Amino acid sequence: MAHTNIDTARQLLTPVTLQATSPYATLGAAALAAVAAVLMAGVMVVGPGVRFDEPAVSAQP
């Protein structure tokens, strides 16, 4: 019984080896983040609630 608990504890304490990630996955994540940033910037410029007021008459030459 104690031997089984020791083996189980060793398995739980053994660090998990990480697999090497694909550079394409990193590139895809960066591209997705860039597209999201551009879309959010576009929503801020063209989105609802944004107004472009005409310049004041005194500002015209």
Side-chain angles (χ1 to χ4, degrees):
M1 176 86 176
H3 186 63
T4 305
N5 290 339
I6 292 173
D7 290 337
T8 304
R10 282 185 182 155
Q11 287 178 353
L12 292 174
L13 292 174
T14 303
V16 178
T17 56
L18 298 176
Q19 297 178 352
T21 59
S22 169
Y24 297 113
T26 305
L27 184 62
L32 181 64
V35 167
V38 168
L39 288 176
M40 285 190 292
V43 167
M44 288 303 298
V45 171
V46 187
V50 177
R51 294 185 342 191
F52 296 101
D53 293 329
E54 293 292 324
V57 177
S58 61
Q60 295 177 354

